[in-house]
Each structure stands twice: as structure tokens, then as C-alpha cells.
Amino acid sequence: MKIINSLLYFFLISPICGLSQNWAPIGTKWHFSKFYDYHLDIEEFTLIKSVGDTIINGIPSTHLTITNNWACSITDNNVFMYQTMENKIYAKINSESGFHMLYNFSAEIGDSWKFPIMFNSMYTDTLQYTVTNIYTTNINGQTRKVLSCNLEFKLGIFWYRVYTTQLIEGIGDVQYMFPWQAQICDEDYILGLRCYEDNEIGLYHYNTDVECDYITETLTPELDQNDDIEIFPNPTLNRIYLNNQELNYLKLEVIDSQGKNLFRKVGFLTEIELNELAPGLYFLKIVNSKGKTIVKKLIKN
């Protein structure tokens, strides 16, 4: 009888012994910024929160909820994750039956891994991380490992993008936690991690140019026509002009596609030099003389 009990203990408990549940303790929060491709006058953020522990497929897991999820996301509002002793993070999203490795913090430079993307109950494609550099950073007095990665993201033959991003040990991807895709709808733009918070680190204000809390700014027709700032040319090579005809005092911020504030200008602005910007997609956040916020997409060739 003792032998049978020992065998039962081995088969039932040993899979759990290889896990380390330091990932996402209850109460952990992530805030990620987002804009919409065709409605850049709307700025919002998504809140991911660790709300409890559970067991999925016999594995002790953390339950995360997603509030204000991406309009075009392929990720449900509930996700389950766990961490192994090898410092690998696994995630189960949507109605998938099993877990897949999302992050590998034991990876070396040059290592790659894939996370399958499920759409309409089918695995249509994958995202792939490739580690390009490894270093450490100090967060509120704690040393954390950081993986610099190339991230290839595609859906079939219709949608493909390549990003550079960073994975912070214990926190995750600074662009967004889970796979996201734009289907046939108003595509979301991820602008990166605003803040992270848990009981060990405390509050980590990753992007200090934005608030951690929920902010929604929507332009409405109540703006006077004279206060509606237009920019041209767009796309541009190295300079833009603003039709600030009445020379209103403006506050202007240039933000890259990862949510980083690159520089600010204030004053009675009519033109902005962009020589130091690399070609790509940017966002201009302009606060006019009435305190109204205008967000415009800018493409630099």
C-alpha cells in the first residue's frame, strides 16, 4: 500500500515540483497604451491584472484578466500563465487546450522560440522571438535580466510585421504581453508599457511620459475650426509645417510606435525639424491653446 501511495505521489505531485510561481503574483498590474489606426484622436490603455491562482491541466497557474482589451485582439479577456524552474513562462489563451511557451528567460543570444497564433479555432501562424542581446537593468533596487529581441508577427499571407522589443524578467514584453492582431477592423497600434506594479517591485513607471491610470481623450466637433491644427507634408522627409495661423501657443510631443516620447516642443509653433528621426511611423500629440488634445499620425520617409 505504501508503494502505491508513493507512486501516486510521484505521478500527481512531481509535475508541480518543476514549477516556480514567482510570475505575476496576485494583484500584479500592467498598463499598456493603445491608439487606433483610423481614430488617432482616441487614446486608451489596456489593464492586465493577476486576479487569482488556479489549476489548469494539473498545473498550478495564475489567472490574468484583460480589461479594455484591444478591439482587434485575438486574445480573450482571460489568460492563464505559469513559470517553470528554468525561468520559462507559459501561457494558455482563448479556448486552447494547452499551454505554449511565451517567454524564455534562460535563452542565450541567437536563441529563438515560437508562440502559435490561434484564429477561428485554427492555428494560422506564429509569432517568433529571436534574442539579439542580453543585459541587466535596475528596477526599484532590484536587478532584472533583459532580453533584446526581434519579434516577427504574421497571420497567413495577409499580415506581417517585424518589431524590436525587450523582455524584462518578471515583467514581460514592454510592447504588449500577449499576441495581438488586426483583423478586418480598425487596427490597434500598441504604444507600449506605461506602468507595472506588484508587491515585490512596487510601482515601476516604465514610460514616465504618460500616466499609469486610465485616460481617454477624444476630440469632438466642439473644437473651434481655427484650433484644428493641420500638419503638412505628410509623409515628409525632414520637416513638417503646422497651419497655426493665429499663432496659438502649442505643446507638441513626438512619440514613436513603441510609445516612447522622443522630444517636445512648446511655443507658437509653425514648423518642426525632424532630421534626427529615422524613417518610420510616429505620432504627434498636440495640446492647443484651449487645452484640447489632438493626436495625428506622421510618416517620415
Side-chain angles (χ1 to χ4, degrees), residues 225-291:
Q225 187 65 32
N226 291 335
D227 286 334
D228 188 13
I229 304 299
E230 298 293 332
I231 62 171
F232 59 93
N234 189 13
T236 186
L237 289 175
N238 53 26
R239 178 181 299 177
I240 58 169
Y241 296 90
L242 297 85
N243 72 335
N244 190 8
Q245 297 178 1
E246 297 187 7
L247 289 181
N248 289 318
Y249 186 85
L250 304 176
K251 298 178 183 178
L252 182 145
E253 299 177 0
V254 178
I255 303 169
D256 69 14
S257 60
Q258 297 183 24
K260 295 295 182 65
N261 189 300
L262 302 180
F263 64 84
R264 300 179 181 180
K265 297 286 185 180
V266 296
F268 304 98
L269 306 175
T270 58
E271 63 180 85
I272 303 293
E273 294 285 345
L274 303 173
N275 292 323
E276 296 183 1
L277 294 184
L281 171 67
Y282 299 90
F283 300 93
L284 301 182
K285 186 175 182 179
I286 305 169
V287 181
N288 67 14
S289 57
K290 291 186 176 181

Side-chain angles (χ1 to χ4, degrees), residues 50 59 145 148 185 197 271:
S50 173
I59 301 173
K145 185 177 184 180
S148 292
C185 64
E197 185 176 6
E271 63 180 85

Side-chain angles (χ1 to χ4, degrees), residues 121-170:
S121 301
M122 297 178 59
Y123 288 109
T124 57
D125 223 310
T126 61
L127 65 80
Q128 176 172 302
Y129 284 101
T130 301
V131 180
T132 58
N133 191 23
I134 300 175
Y135 60 96
T136 59
T137 188
N138 186 284
I139 301 175
N140 296 345
Q142 297 191 27
T143 300
R144 294 297 177 101
K145 185 177 184 180
V146 181
L147 307 181
S148 292
C149 297
N150 288 332
L151 174 58
E152 296 179 70
F153 212 158
K154 58 184 177 179
L155 181 66
I157 62 174
F158 302 103
W159 203 87
Y160 177 80
R161 286 187 180 176
V162 179
Y163 299 94
T164 59
T165 190
Q166 289 78 45
L167 308 181
I168 303 177
E169 186 177 26

